[in-house]
Structure formats: structure tokens, C-alpha cells
Amino acid sequence: MPDRLRDHAHAVAARSHVPYVGPGVGAAVLLADGRWVDAARIEVASFPLSIPALQGALALALLARTTVVAVARSTAFAPADLGVIAEAAGGSWHLAAPDLAVRDEADLPAVGDRVASVTEVGALTAEAGAALALEASRAAVVPASDFPVGAAVVDEAGRVVLGANVEVPTDWTRGLCAERTALVAAVAAGLGPIRTLYVACVKAPGGTPCGGCRQVIAELAPDCSVVLWRDGETPDLTTPAALLPGAFDGRALGR
């Protein structure tokens, strides 16, 4: 089991978005039913908004709503990482190896299939894409806010991945918004240039992406269309540039 999970962590590391500092880092999370999810490091010009591979992988794992039993990383874990895992996934954890964390007393299954994340959809109407985002919001993990949001990312080849917001009640900075969770899934799955991002929020259908998400969208999908669900009415269409005029693009930063 450990070697296969490590292989997935190393494979996804190559998909990291690391234009500033690098190197790429990958993480793979094993669920109690044998399925697994993975994520790669995503750097953002506004450095505090960067998404570590571990944070992204845990967010995607929590959306699967199954117990997390092991986590592998392409590099050794830092001393604080066991606490990060325990906060997000619950339970107590130990390092079985420098790059492998295991839930105490867990029965580890064989590594099976990747949690299905990519679907071929081809061309979508704004209404159909918004409906996908609305469906995604039902998977949101929001024990503190009870404020579910869903997102769908479609690339130029017509492939879609979904995301929803994930909260870690003891530390909200450990969670991720729906837009960022969907972008994490898109990077991990190797999607091509992003064509459209759909966002749906049941409790605030007039809402828009938060400032942090706007910066991440502007960097990872600067040319996409952004479609915002409007409670059964015709969705609103906008762009990253309209959402965040004058976004910091990081061109002045060292590479």
C-alpha cells in the first residue's frame, strides 16, 4: 500500500503550478474504502493564498465523506503536518515513514481507484453548467457556517471537475472555498486551459467569489468566463478581469 500511495503523490507533484519558488509537491490521501485523491502545490503571486498540496488533497478527501486513513507526500512531512491532518480529518496520527502519515489503529485497505473527478461534458449552456455547480454544492463540508457553495471548472477540451467549500471548524484557514477546491481538482487532474468556471451558492444566489478566490482565478484561469448562478434565473456572465481589476500578476517577482 505505501509504495502505491507514494507513487500517486510523486506523479501529481509534476503537475504543480509553481511559477515563483517551487519545487513541485504532491500529496495523495487514502480513504477507508480504498479510493484515493491527490493534489499538487499551487503557488499564487499573493503568496499567502498559495495552496499546499496537503491542504488541497485533504479538502478533496473531505468532500468524499469517507474516513481518511493515510496520507503520502512527495517530500517528507514537516513536524506540524500531523496536526494539520488531525485537524482536518480527525483522529490521532503517526508517521509510519518520513513521507507517510497513518491514522492510529486504522485498517489500511489496498489502494484502489482514484475518486472519480473528471467528466466529459463537451459544450455546456450557462444554465447547464450552473446546475452542475449547484449539484456540487450539496457535497460542501460546512459544519461551522452552514453556507454551501459549489463550483464547476470546464477546460477547453470539454472536461469538467467539481468542487465545494470545505471548512475545518477549528481553523478556517485550513479549509478552501468552492472555487479553489475545483481549481485544485483541475490542476491535479491535468486539465488544460480553463474555459469556464461556474459558481452556485444556495443561500446567497446573488453572491460572487471572495477576494482570495478572485486572485487565484485571475492567475490560474485569466481567460476563462465566470458564470454565477442566480436562483433559477438566467446566470450572470463575467470575467476574472471584471471581478478583479488590476489584479497583481506576479510578473515582477523573482523566479
Side-chain angles (χ1 to χ4, degrees):
M1 182 281 294
D3 286 343
R4 287 198 62 192
L5 198 63
R6 287 188 180 100
D7 288 344
H8 294 315
H10 283 275
V12 76
R15 293 176 176 158
S16 297
H17 177 78
V18 286
Y20 305 114
V21 179
V25 179
V29 175
L30 181 65
L31 305 175
D33 58 10
R35 295 178 300 155
W36 55 275
V37 299
D38 58 354
R41 174 175 169 79
I42 296 175
E43 290 181 352
V44 180
S46 179
F47 285 166
L49 293 174
S50 296
I51 305 171
L54 179 59
Q55 182 182 13
L58 287 170
L60 295 177
L62 292 178
L63 290 177
R65 296 185 179 276
T66 302
T67 302
V68 174
V69 294
V71 185
R73 206 167 76 161
S74 61
T75 60
F77 284 107
D81 287 335
L82 284 182
V84 171
I85 296 170
E87 275 190 319
S92 55
W93 291 73
H94 66 277
L95 288 180
D99 60 350
L100 180 69
V102 175
R103 181 185 288 268
D104 291 348
E105 300 179 359
D107 293 324
L108 299 184
V111 178
D113 296 326
R114 189 174 189 264
V115 172
S117 60
V118 181
T119 305
E120 301 279 349
V121 294
L124 286 175
T125 64
E127 291 77 10
L132 283 176
L134 184 61
E135 178 65 26
S137 73
R138 298 191 173 98
V141 180
V142 287
S145 71
D146 190 28
F147 190 79
V149 182
V153 168
V154 183
D155 75 356
E156 291 182 350
R159 299 176 296 173
V160 63
V161 295
L162 304 179
N165 53 329
V166 174
E167 293 173 358
V168 177
T170 56
D171 185 350
W172 280 24
T173 65
R174 304 289 190 195
L176 284 177
C177 298
E179 299 92 324
R180 279 179 265 184
T181 304
L183 289 169
V184 165
V187 170
L191 264 62
I194 294 169
R195 182 175 67 200
T196 313
L197 168 66
Y198 301 90
V199 183
C201 179
V202 177
K203 295 197 171 183
T208 62
C210 72
C213 283
R214 293 181 188 209
Q215 178 68 36
V216 177
I217 295 166
E219 292 194 52
L220 268 65
D223 301 318
C224 79
S225 298
V226 180
V227 178
L228 306 174
W229 179 69
R230 287 293 183 264
D231 196 14
E233 300 176 2
T234 301
D236 284 350
L237 176 65
T238 186
T239 66
L243 287 171
L244 189 62
F248 180 55
D249 61 16
R251 282 180 290 183
L253 297 175
R255 297 299 202 275

